[in-house]
Amino acid sequence: MDKFVVNGQNKLSGTVQISGAKNAVLPIMTATLLTSGKSVLHNVPHLNDIKMMAYLLRVIGAKVDMEADTMSIDSTHCSYFEAPYELVSKMRASIYVLGPLLARFGQAKVSFPGGCAIGTRPVDLHLDAMRKLGAEIDIEHGYILAKSKKLVGTTIEFPKVSVGATANVLMAAVLAKGTTILKNAAKEPEIGSLIEFLNLMGAKIKGKDTSVLEITGVSQLQPAEMKMIPDRIETGTFMIAAAITGSEIKITHTIPKLVASLTNKLELAGVKIEQQHDSLHVLPNKKIIAVNISTQPYPGFPTDLQAQFMALMCLAEGTSKIEENIFPDRFMHVAELKRLDADIQVTKNLAIIQGVPELSGAPVMATDLRASAALVLAGLAAKGETVISRIYHIDRGYEKIEEKLQALGADIKRVKG
Ligand code: UD1
């Protein structure tokens, strides 16, 4: 297994270009299953999760090709309606094939996702909503078996906001008979992006960027072509990389308003940020002031930046509180940050971080995707060498992170293992 070796305390400088958003691409890839023909996606990042989804689509029968950052998916000859355990256990987003397969072929068999490093992650909201649309759902031998002659539109109110359930239900409802109203839907930009793609395919969805979506079912869709939005979590991770090293960097090919919640918190922490239309300029800061965050659905502070922000708060002046409201157990990075001399106490879903003047390098282990990013950030600021093992997690979601950091002047090496 590969490792990163980071020698900390280098200043960063220069420009970094943001890649396409993994979490926007994954559901859009499965949306192409809703019709036959060839769809084309631009600005697709080269990531393990994307490769795994491409593999799943090929298992189902689609033809998937990738050239540079353009992916084409021809879903004309789909004939195997199953997401096997081996894939779902590695990538939970495999559940996204449920809605499209059910809507187009009236059947789907998807392995029941298990827990993962950030806690138990149920799929009850996905399944309850599919049942409301008229699907028959059984759980047998660890698999979700879904069947339906014809899905029928209805009103569904989610008891809590779920990105995945919103995406899955959208993809099921676009071909249903009649109108579906989704209340308390997720407003994440990646959902907005999926809605845009589905509408390009010929779907009739109103309410983008709001929590009430109205989907009028159509009898047929056609393939579509679209550029994927930039990754707001990668954007935020590089903003924190500049802040934690007191550096000045420019972040391009991004959409600043998608990281507004982070920008606000960084400014409160004393970091100056200039925003242009599609870029951000983080200016060097002398010190970091402790600020509190509380993770919330979009437009609140994203849980996917919680670990990285915690790394920054480890070096802040004062005490900060981080409340994790989306995945209450998402604190696996705490024990690793403590190995670098951070001072953090966790009670239930609340972490209290007493800033320290310096972190010191140590061997640490990546436990999940965003936790690994937090460890890289802490390593960039720590004195001496930090060796981060199990970085396969980071390869799932950050395109060429070490090359992008090296180009900014960081001392980070990948050691093949
Ligand atoms: C997506 C993102 C993930 C991000 C998360 C929250 C992708 C591929 N992943 O994950 O990076 O951290 O949104 O922004 O886009 N829940 C239920 N029942 C369900 C579904 C969810 O109780 O059926 C709960 C979850 O346990 C969690 C909350 O709802 O507490 C939000 O989860 P959800 O938005 O569904 O996350 P994902 O779509 O899995």
Side-chain angles (χ1 to χ4, degrees):
M1 274 184 275
D2 292 4
K3 293 176 182 176
F4 278 150
V5 178
V6 185
N7 271 293
Q9 299 195 331
N10 275 15
K11 287 276 181 228
L12 307 182
S13 65
T15 300
V16 61
Q17 182 174 327
I18 297 304
S19 303
K22 165 180 91 78
N23 288 353
V25 179
L26 291 171
I28 288 176
M29 286 175 74
T30 65
T32 66
L33 296 175
L34 282 162
T35 185
S36 61
K38 187 160 120 182
S39 290
V40 180
L41 318 182
H42 301 284
N43 198 29
V44 175
H46 290 260
L47 295 171
N48 284 349
D49 271 13
I50 302 286
K51 283 186 200 143
M52 208 133 33
M53 185 60 90
Y55 181 74
L56 173 56
L57 297 190
R58 288 188 188 110
V59 167
I60 289 169
K63 189 171 177 299
V64 186
D65 292 306
M66 182 93 170
E67 213 180 295
D69 67 354
T70 295
M71 176 179 276
S72 61
I73 305 170
D74 186 340
S75 46
T76 306
H77 301 292
C78 295
S79 56
Y80 185 76
F81 310 125
E82 180 172 332
Y85 172 75
E86 292 69 28
L87 281 169
V88 182
S89 60
K90 289 198 189 93
M91 186 186 57
R92 290 180 48 85
S94 312
I95 186 92
Y96 280 147
V97 299
L98 179 64
L101 289 180
L102 199 50
R104 179 168 162 207
F105 301 105
Q107 54 175 307
K109 181 174 173 187
V110 178
S111 172
F112 205 88
C116 68
I118 63 176
T120 52
R121 291 174 74 179
V123 288
D124 55 319
L125 301 177
H126 300 238
L127 302 187
D128 288 351
M130 296 299 168
R131 284 194 183 102
K132 287 200 176 117
L133 289 171
E136 258 177 60
I137 309 270
D138 288 309
I139 311 290
E140 268 177 33
H141 306 297
Y143 275 81
I144 302 160
L145 305 179
K147 267 196 209 142
S148 158
K149 284 214 171 64
K150 180 79 187 159
L151 298 173
V152 180
T154 185
T155 297
I156 297 167
E157 179 158 6
F158 288 120
K160 77 197 282 193
V161 178
S162 161
V163 175
T166 302
N168 234 338
V169 176
L170 273 170
M171 293 190 279
V174 283
L175 287 176
K177 184 165 178 270
T179 300
T180 301
I181 308 286
L182 269 189
K183 295 184 179 169
N184 202 24
K187 292 184 286 192
E188 267 64 6
E190 295 74 23
I191 292 292
S193 194
L194 173 66
I195 292 175
E196 233 174 273
F197 188 77
L198 290 168
N199 282 344
L200 282 174
M201 292 179 84
K204 290 197 175 135
I205 305 169
K206 285 192 205 150
K208 180 174 162 296
D209 302 330
T210 76
S211 56
V212 181
L213 301 174
E214 184 186 307
I215 308 128
T216 306
V218 295
S219 57
Q220 226 183 334
L221 296 166
Q222 70 260 352
E225 179 164 358
M226 198 172 101
K227 183 175 175 195
M228 301 295 107
I229 55 167
D231 195 316
R232 63 194 166 100
I233 306 302
E234 189 195 17
T235 304
T237 303
F238 277 101
M239 290 166 78
I240 299 173
I244 204 167
T245 53
S247 306
E248 176 176 355
I249 68 169
K250 194 164 178 202
I251 301 168
T252 66
H253 296 72
T254 189
I255 303 178
K257 74 167 191 256
L258 302 186
V259 285
S261 59
L262 173 66
T263 304
N264 291 341
K265 291 295 178 180
L266 284 176
E267 284 177 342
L268 288 173
V271 182
K272 289 206 168 55
I273 298 162
E274 289 171 357
Q275 305 184 32
Q276 279 87 37
H277 163 65
D278 61 355
S279 65
L280 286 154
H281 188 176
V282 186
L283 297 163
N285 57 288
K286 292 247 162 14
K287 63 175 184 186
I288 296 289
I289 302 155
V291 289
N292 302 334
I293 60 162
S294 164
T295 62
Q296 300 291 346
Y298 191 85
F301 194 97
T303 174
D304 285 352
L305 284 171
Q306 179 258 108
Q308 300 89 317
F309 198 81
M310 186 184 290
L312 179 67
M313 287 302 106
C314 290
L315 287 165
E317 235 178 64
T319 307
S320 53
K321 289 185 189 157
I322 294 188
E323 194 182 25
E324 174 52 67
N325 296 307
I326 309 292
F327 298 109
D329 299 328
R330 192 175 203 175
F331 282 132
M332 298 281 280
H333 43 283
V334 168
E336 303 303 307
L337 289 170
K338 281 180 160 181
R339 292 182 51 75
L340 303 175
D341 280 355
D343 182 350
I344 309 167
Q345 302 300 324
V346 174
T347 316
K348 294 190 181 150
N349 69 331
L350 182 70
I352 299 184
I353 304 117
Q354 177 63 54
V356 293
E358 193 167 75
L359 293 174
S360 70
V364 287
M365 195 184 282
T367 49
D368 73 66
L369 170 57
R370 308 303 171 186
S372 345
L375 296 176
V376 169
L377 295 175
L380 292 177
K383 186 166 187 203
E385 184 181 89
T386 299
V387 180
I388 306 158
S389 54
R390 298 204 179 180
I391 55 163
Y392 57 84
H393 290 292
I394 215 162
D395 293 331
R396 287 184 41 212
Y398 285 89
E399 189 176 45
K400 299 184 185 155
I401 188 166
E402 78 276 29
E403 289 176 31
K404 289 187 181 185
L405 285 169
Q406 281 160 2
L408 292 172
D411 184 348
I412 176 169
K413 276 195 298 278
R414 179 182 290 259
V415 178
K416 295 267 173 204

